[in-house]
Amino acid sequence: MNKRITAAAALLAAGMLALAGCSGDGGSGSGSSDPIVVGSVNTISGPATFPEASQAAKAVFDKFNADGGLNGRKIDYKALDDKGDPATATANAREIVGSDNAVAMIGSASLIECDLNKKYYEQEGILSIPGIGVDTGCFDSKNISPANVGPYNDMTLTLLYGSEQLKLDNICVLLEIAGSTRPTYQAAIDKWTQITGKKPLYVDDTVPYGASDYTPYIVKAKQAGCKALAINPVEPDAIGQVKAANAQGWNDVTWLYLTSVYSENFAKAIDDAGAGIYVPAEFYPFTDENAVNKDWRDLMTKNKIPLTSFSQGGYLAATYFIEALKSVKGDITRESVSEAIKSMPAVDNKMIGDPYKFGTIPTAGWPIELKTGTHAWEKVADDWYRIPKK
């Protein structure tokens, strides 16, 4: 009698586990009301931060949930701060992927996390669509495919625009290096050289993030005869660099920056832009108010998220994911979501210069300029500017 009761209890317990969706399916479970866990690892605090990307992704997911989710299932979005610290970045990924069983990583923006976590993502069979890819791992892993052009193609684009469109010579390159990015920046410079046959007057890769004074680097460049400076800083550093040149009376230098400085705050902080500050915007220029950016702008404004290229990237990464999610037939698991992302047709959106397809890297930027005394960015082209194909 006791044996029969024990056996019946065991069968009942097994049935309850099955009904609860405890099948270990490598994702958010197959229960019809289970939340769909999605995550991101971001540098939100530290010397160089990118908070808007994950904020924008969350706003997209919150709206999706408010509209009913996926047949009633809501997205549970977990965005963690790696603080620019390698140990924290790896721990964050393992918490979201290993403990929380996320089905995908969406909207991340970190200085370091792709390179640190790419092998883990491959091991766990999870895909990542960063809102803003920064480090080299974001662009050389089969499991990671950012929404943005990235700093390396952006560097090639800004050099090309300076030498070929603005006809500048004596271009010097100043690099702020994080982690293992030095060789990839050199490859971006080499690509420009291969296309144009031109070389920088010199390259200085000792420029620090978050320096209190950039005067020594600016003085060196001025004394060397640089006519233009191609630099890869975050916004606060760029403000310090321009103001250091202003203090030296260097008002005929042309600045060739990356999308990282393209913000309204930067424009408001600059009184003297020298001979002009040029940026190849990775997405359609957000300071141009027209229908292209309307949905993104309305959602960001409603949620009080800064209007920046970073929030454009997070918004786009989340919208790509939702389109892939809607195409899944059957259970929502890590495997089915990964397959849906990989097989998703190229997304042609007017906010981007090249259609988005997982596994490809865009090569287009939209040239914009900040002129002295204007405090406003202006488009200086009628279309996207692209790195020539080989």
Side-chain angles (χ1 to χ4, degrees), residues 62-74:
D62 286 347
K63 183 177 185 302
F64 178 71
N65 290 341
D67 291 342
L70 184 71
N71 300 320
R73 295 185 67 181
K74 305 297 179 67

Side-chain angles (χ1 to χ4, degrees), residues 131-212:
I132 298 295
V134 179
D135 68 72
T136 54
C138 299
F139 303 94
D140 65 7
S141 168
K142 64 181 182 180
N143 283 55
I144 305 174
S145 185
N148 66 319
V149 171
Y152 315 111
N153 275 344
D154 222 26
M155 175 60 74
T156 303
L157 281 167
T158 202
L159 285 167
L160 281 170
Y161 192 80
S163 66
E164 306 310 296
Q165 300 299 310
L166 301 178
K167 306 300 180 183
L168 298 169
D169 55 12
N170 291 345
I171 299 174
C172 298
V173 179
L174 309 184
L175 296 176
E176 298 187 358
I177 299 300
S180 59
T181 59
R182 178 63 176 89
T184 313
Y185 275 116
Q186 186 60 53
I189 298 167
D190 292 344
K191 185 184 294 185
W192 167 64
T193 297
Q194 291 166 8
I195 294 169
T196 65
K198 301 171 184 177
K199 294 183 178 181
L201 185 60
Y202 76 81
V203 178
D204 183 351
D205 61 4
T206 67
V207 183
Y209 277 106
S212 58

Side-chain angles (χ1 to χ4, degrees), residues 15-241:
M16 290 176 66
L17 284 172
L19 289 172
C22 299
S23 56
D25 61 2
S28 293
S30 59
S32 61
S33 62
D34 293 340
I36 301 167
V37 180
V38 177
S40 66
V41 178
N42 312 273
T43 304
I44 297 174
S45 59
T49 62
F50 311 92
E52 301 100 310
S54 57
Q55 291 171 356
K58 182 179 185 301
V60 172
F61 294 144
D62 286 347
K63 183 177 185 302
F64 178 71
N65 290 341
D67 291 342
L70 184 71
N71 300 320
R73 295 185 67 181
K74 305 297 179 67
I75 291 176
D76 181 8
Y77 188 53
K78 299 179 180 295
L80 301 183
D81 179 12
D82 66 23
K83 305 175 184 178
D85 173 64
T88 304
T90 54
N92 284 354
R94 282 149 182 79
E95 177 180 337
I96 295 170
V97 177
S99 299
D100 295 329
N101 288 324
V103 298
M105 301 293 283
I106 305 296
S108 297
S110 166
L111 276 173
I112 56 174
E113 85 94 6
C114 290
D115 204 41
L116 292 168
N117 293 322
K118 62 182 181 180
K119 290 184 179 179
Y120 178 67
Y121 293 158
E122 291 176 17
Q123 171 189 316
E124 297 300 319
I126 192 167
L127 301 187
S128 173
I129 304 178
I132 298 295
V134 179
D135 68 72
T136 54
C138 299
F139 303 94
D140 65 7
S141 168
K142 64 181 182 180
N143 283 55
I144 305 174
S145 185
N148 66 319
V149 171
Y152 315 111
N153 275 344
D154 222 26
M155 175 60 74
T156 303
L157 281 167
T158 202
L159 285 167
L160 281 170
Y161 192 80
S163 66
E164 306 310 296
Q165 300 299 310
L166 301 178
K167 306 300 180 183
L168 298 169
D169 55 12
N170 291 345
I171 299 174
C172 298
V173 179
L174 309 184
L175 296 176
E176 298 187 358
I177 299 300
S180 59
T181 59
R182 178 63 176 89
T184 313
Y185 275 116
Q186 186 60 53
I189 298 167
D190 292 344
K191 185 184 294 185
W192 167 64
T193 297
Q194 291 166 8
I195 294 169
T196 65
K198 301 171 184 177
K199 294 183 178 181
L201 185 60
Y202 76 81
V203 178
D204 183 351
D205 61 4
T206 67
V207 183
Y209 277 106
S212 58
D213 184 8
Y214 286 98
T215 300
Y217 307 95
I218 297 301
V219 169
K220 177 184 175 182
K222 183 180 181 183
Q223 291 177 344
C226 305
K227 299 299 182 183
L229 299 178
I231 321 180
N232 66 327
V234 290
E235 179 189 293
D237 295 357
I239 293 172
Q241 292 158 9

